[in-house]
Amino acid sequence: KVDAVDRGRFKTCSRSGFCTRNREFAAVEDALSPYDLLEDSVSISAARITADLIHKENGEKFLLVISNYQDNTLAYGSLKKRHFINDMKLVVYLATFKNKISINKQKEILFFYITSPFELRFFSDPKTEVLRANSRGLFNIEHYRNKPENNENNEENGVTEEENKNKSKYRQMSDHDLWEEKFQSHSDSKPRGPSSVGMDFSFFGSKNVYGIPEHASSFSLKSTKGTDPYRLYNLDVFEYELDETMALYGSIPLMISTQADKATTSAVFWLNAAETWVDIDHKEDKVDTHWFSESGALDFFVLLGPTPKDIFRQYAALTGTQELPPLFSIAYHQCRWNYKDQEDVATVDQKFDEYDIPYDVLWLDIEHTDEKKYFTWDSNKFPAPKEMLDSLADKGRHMVTIVDPHIKRSSGYSIFDGGNERDLWVKKSDGSSTYEGHCWPGSSSYLDFSSEETRKYWADQFAYDKYEHSTPSLFIWNDMNEPSVFNGPEVTMQKDLIHKGNVEHRDLHNQFGAWVHQATQEGLVARDPESRRSFVLSRAFFAGSQKYGAIWTGDNGADWGHLEASIPMLLSISVTGISFCGADVGGFFGNPNEELLIRWYQAGAYQPFFRAHAHLDTKRREPFLYSAETSGLIRQAIRARYALLPYWYSCFYHASNTGIPVMRPLWVEYPQDSKSFDIEDEYLIGSDLLVKPVTKSNENTVSVYFPEGSDGWYDTLTYESYPSSGHVQVDAPLSKIPVFQRAGSIVPRKQRARRSSSQMENDPYTLIIALDSKGEAHGELYFDDGVSFEYKKSSRNHRQFQFKNNEIISYSTDSAFMESSVVIERIVILGYKGADLTKAQISQQGFVISADVFSSPSPSGPVFTVKRPNALAAYDWKIELH
C-alpha cells in the first residue's frame, strides 16, 4: 500500500496570504471593478495598442500593452517594473488597429475593449464570442508599496482603511497577510510587500477546459467551488494522492477551451512563473476562471484557434516546439533506484538478452555517485564506468545517469569549487550570503540557473574531459529540480531568496527547473563536435520545457488508481506543449502484482516516454524475474512498442514542426464531436491509432468510444473492423491492450525483433493499409539518421503513401533526401471490397518487378498481403494491384 502524502508540509489556499486575499476579492458581491481604461491615453500603432489603466480609488496607474502576434494570437501585459519571463519566441504580426479591432481581416476575427469598467472581448468570427477578460471585475494588481507604520493606516478623521473599504462601491483587496508570512517554522519576509496580479477569463459556449498541469486530477478540469483552486507551484511531493488540485512537480499556465456548438477552440496562456492559483466555475453556457499569481507581471496571451491544431501551432510560436528526440530515446528504458554496481548492470543487460526482451537504455540513480557528488562515480561500485558504457554501446544501447542541481558543500569537489570561484549561487534574502539547504548529499548549495553565466558553467561540466568516464552513449536525468530542499518551506526554497539581478525567488520559482533542463541539454549538445541530439529527462517543467527533452509524472504509486490517472495526467501535459512525457511503468512506490504490471507495460508501450522505474525499497521487478507467462506478456508489450517505432518517430517529427502533440485527446482530431470532450480513458497516438488501456483489475472487456466523424476502425491484432462512432464493448484479455487503426490510414511498422532500436536501422518496413468506405487510405513515414541534427540540413526522408483505385504510390513531401537501402518488405491491406487480389506490379526508378499477393481470413473479411515488393523506402514508387 502506498502511504498518503504528508499534507501538513504543503500549503492550502487558506494558508497562503495572496490566495486568500484574491479569493476574498472575488467573493465580494455587488461591487464594481475599480479599474478603468483611460480613453484619452489610447495610442494605436501598426503593431500594438497602449493605454493607461487607473485604479479609480487609489489613483495607481498601469500601462496596458496589447500586441497583435502572428496567427490569431493577442498578447496583453501591464507593465510596472515587474519580473518578466523573456525566454519566449514572439513573432509580431503587423496589423491596423481600430476601436473594434480585426486581427485577421480575411477571417474577420474580432477583438474589442470596453473602457469602464475595463473589459476585453474576443470573437472567433463576428457572431461567435469565445472569451472575455475582466467581465467579472476580478482584474487586480497589488501595487508595490512600503510597509506602513502601525498607525499609518488611520485616516485624519479617525476613519480606518477597513471602514473606507466597507463604504466603497468598488471591489477591494483585504489586508490578510500583506507583509511577513509564516508557514510552519518558516518565515517569508516579503520585503517588497504584496504584489499579486489577477484576472478573470470566461470561456463562452464552453463546458470543458483543459490544461494547467501538473495535477493528479481529471483531464477535463473540475469546478473548484468547495475545494482549493488548482495550484501551479513546482514542488517535490512525495507519494502524491489522486483527484487533487494540489501542486506537483511542474507548471504550465495554459488553459484550452472547446466550444461544443461551434467546434471551435480557444486558449489563455498566463505567462507568469510565480506561484499561481486558478479557480474554475462551470456555468450553463460558459466556464468562468479566475487566475492569480503572487508576483510578477500581468502578462497573458489569448489564442483564438479556431481549431485545436491551430491552438497548438499558436502556442508553439510563443514557447517553441518539442525537441525531436533521438530515436533510441522513444524506445524502452529500464530504471530503478538503484542498480547496485557494475556487476548488477552487466547481469541485467545479459538477462534482457537471455529472455529476448528488447531495451535501449539502462539508468543509474543517485547511488552510483561518490557521496552524492554529481558528475562523479563511486569507484568501489563502478570501477570501470567507460568499459561498462562501451559494453552497452556495442549492442546499440545507452545509459542515463542522474545529475541533480543541489551541490554538495565539499571543498575539493570541482562543481562546488567552481561555483564558489565564480560566485554562482542563489543568495539569502540579504542578497550576498550563499544560501544553504539540505538534500540528498546533506548540506548543499544551489546554483542560480536564472543566470546565463551559471547555465553556461553547468553546460560546460558535461564535456568529456570534465565529466570523467562519460561517453557519447551517456545521457542525463535531472531530478529534484523544482528545486527540492528537504529543510525548506514546502520542501523547496524560501521565496525571499535572491537571484541575479536582485530578483526574488518568488518571481521565477516555476521556471527554475526548466533552466536546469535547458542548461543540461545545451551541455550535451555542445560536448559533441558532430552535434548529436541530446536526451535529458526532467521532473520539473514550465512552459517551453519541450525544447529541452522529456518529462515524467514523478513519484507515482503501484496501484490501479495511479495507472488510470496516468492517462489524464499525460493528456494534460501533452496538450500544453510537452509531447515527450510518460509515467513510471509499474509505479515508483510499492510492489505491483503481476496483473497490474502487465497492464501497466501495455499502457506504457503506447505512451510517449516509456520507462519502468521503482523505489529503492521495492522488490526487484525486471521483466525477466516473473513467471514465463508474465514475462512473455511483458515482452509482447515491449515488442509492440518497437514494431511501431517508425510511426512514433514520424509523430514526433510532426510535433517538432507544428507543436501538435503525439499523444492527443479525441477532440483534437474530432472537434465537432462534443461527446469526445469528456473522454479521458482513451486517446490517440498521432491521428491514426486509438488506444484504450485496461486500468482496472480483472477486466477482460472494455467499452471503447469511437468518435463521430471517423470512417471506421480496425483492431490492430485481429484486423476486425468496428463502426465509425459510438460505444462498443470489445474483448481485452490479459494478453491484449485494445488498439485500433483508423480507416483511411497507412501505418508503417518494423516487425523484426531485435535487442535495441539501433539494430533495427536496416530492417525492412511493413505498411498496414486500412481502407475507408471509399476504398482509399493515406499515410506517411519520416526517417533520418535518428541521432544528429543533419535532418535540419535536408538529410531526411519524409514520404507520403496513398492507396486509391488499386494503386499504392509513394512520393516525397519536400526536396530533402537521405540515401537509404531499406525496403518495404510487406504491405497488408484491410477492408478491401473488390475482387480477390493475386499480383502486384512494382514500378520504381525505371524498373518494373512483380510480387505475389496472398489472402488470409479475418473476422471482417479477407486480408490481402503483398509479400516482398522490395520497394525502396527512400524513393518514389508505384504498386498496381490485380
Side-chain angles (χ1 to χ4, degrees), residues 171-406:
R171 198 179 295 274
Q172 300 283 343
M173 290 289 280
S174 74
D175 296 335
H176 180 78
D177 282 343
L178 288 179
W179 306 101
E180 185 175 16
E181 191 169 336
K182 295 184 182 298
F183 180 70
Q184 295 180 323
S185 62
H186 303 280
S187 179
D188 178 6
S189 64
K190 294 203 283 190
R192 302 170 191 184
S195 56
S196 73
V197 296
M199 176 70 83
D200 64 90
F201 301 98
S202 294
F203 294 94
F204 280 75
S206 175
K207 296 185 182 300
N208 301 82
V209 288
Y210 312 89
I212 60 169
E214 182 178 28
H215 303 95
S217 184
S218 59
F219 177 44
S220 180
L221 299 169
K222 299 178 181 179
S223 171
T224 56
K225 277 194 167 184
T227 70
D228 265 6
Y230 287 92
R231 190 186 187 196
L232 298 173
Y233 192 57
N234 294 3
L235 294 171
D236 178 3
V237 182
F238 202 65
E239 300 178 326
Y240 60 83
E241 294 180 350
L242 303 179
D243 198 23
E244 283 290 338
T245 60
M246 69 184 297
L248 290 177
Y249 312 96
S251 301
I252 302 179
L254 172 70
M255 182 179 287
I256 300 172
S257 165
T258 50
Q259 287 80 35
D261 55 341
K262 297 287 185 177
T264 58
T265 311
S266 57
V268 168
F269 174 38
W270 179 267
L271 186 53
N272 191 304
E275 179 186 356
T276 299
W277 302 76
V278 184
D279 261 320
I280 298 174
D281 186 9
H282 290 267
K283 299 294 183 61
E284 184 176 347
D285 61 345
K286 64 178 179 175
V287 178
D288 287 335
T289 67
H290 181 204
W291 302 59
F292 38 97
S293 298
E294 184 177 19
S295 61
L298 201 161
D299 196 5
F300 66 90
F301 297 78
V302 174
L303 314 180
L304 292 174
T307 71
K309 292 180 180 179
D310 289 330
I311 293 292
F312 300 136
R313 282 189 284 262
Q314 291 158 8
Y315 179 69
L318 299 173
T319 66
T321 60
Q322 178 69 56
E323 175 192 51
L324 179 61
L327 180 60
F328 79 84
S329 67
I330 64 172
Y332 174 62
H333 300 247
Q334 181 65 43
C335 183
R336 138 166 223 99
W337 178 24
N338 203 85
Y339 288 114
K340 298 179 293 185
D341 50 33
Q342 203 161 322
E343 183 181 354
D344 195 11
V345 167
T347 300
V348 170
D349 180 64
Q350 175 193 341
K351 288 292 184 181
F352 267 90
D353 290 342
E354 184 180 325
Y355 282 79
D356 205 17
I357 302 172
Y359 87 97
D360 264 65
V361 192
L362 198 63
W363 292 53
L364 296 180
D365 211 315
I366 56 177
E367 310 303 332
H368 84 278
T369 63
D370 176 16
E371 297 181 334
K372 312 299 188 298
K373 291 182 286 193
Y374 303 107
F375 300 95
T376 70
W377 303 83
D378 184 326
S379 59
N380 292 319
K381 298 176 181 177
F382 297 91
K386 188 174 185 303
E387 179 183 308
M388 173 181 65
L389 291 164
D390 289 345
S391 176
L392 294 174
D394 287 344
K395 300 177 182 179
R397 289 172 177 156
H398 303 76
M399 177 165 276
V400 167
T401 53
I402 195 166
V403 178
D404 291 348
H406 47 263

Side-chain angles (χ1 to χ4, degrees), residues 515-561:
W515 277 320
V516 179
H517 201 184
Q518 174 188 354
T520 304
Q521 186 260 2
E522 290 172 351
L524 292 188
V525 171
R527 71 182 181 174
D528 282 310
E530 310 89 23
S531 292
R532 298 185 181 193
R533 278 176 261 167
S534 66
F535 170 75
V536 184
L537 178 74
S538 173
R539 189 170 69 177
F541 56 88
F542 186 63
S545 287
Q546 62 269 18
K547 298 191 295 288
Y548 313 123
I551 67 97
W552 92 107
T553 60
D555 300 342
N556 57 357
D559 60 54
W560 289 95

Side-chain angles (χ1 to χ4, degrees), residues 749-854:
R749 304 170 70 98
K750 285 194 174 186
Q751 303 286 60
R752 298 184 184 181
R754 301 292 188 185
R755 289 178 173 181
S756 64
S757 64
S758 66
Q759 296 187 351
M760 300 167 63
E761 180 180 2
N762 296 314
D763 284 352
Y765 292 99
T766 292
L767 300 182
I768 308 295
I769 300 178
L771 299 179
D772 61 17
S773 58
K774 297 178 181 178
E776 298 178 1
H778 296 82
E780 62 186 317
L781 168 66
Y782 173 83
F783 61 99
D784 54 34
D785 64 19
V787 175
S788 75
F789 290 100
E790 290 300 311
Y791 74 95
K792 293 185 176 181
K793 303 175 185 177
S794 296
S795 182
R796 63 180 185 272
N797 286 303
H798 190 187
R799 311 296 305 175
Q800 290 285 335
F801 303 119
Q802 176 182 300
F803 183 105
K804 187 176 183 179
N805 298 327
N806 283 22
E807 284 188 354
I808 311 167
I809 62 172
S810 171
Y811 58 94
S812 179
T813 63
D814 56 31
S815 60
F817 179 76
M818 184 187 78
E819 184 61 59
S820 172
S821 61
V822 178
V823 301
I824 311 293
E825 78 164 348
R826 183 179 290 107
I827 298 174
V828 179
I829 303 167
L830 312 178
Y832 183 77
K833 303 300 183 184
D836 283 359
L837 302 171
T838 59
K839 288 290 182 182
Q841 180 174 288
I842 301 98
S843 303
Q844 184 174 57
Q845 294 183 295
F847 295 93
V848 178
I849 62 173
S850 62
D852 292 327
V853 180
F854 297 87

Side-chain angles (χ1 to χ4, degrees), residues 486 586 708 765:
F486 291 162
E708 293 179 7
Y765 292 99

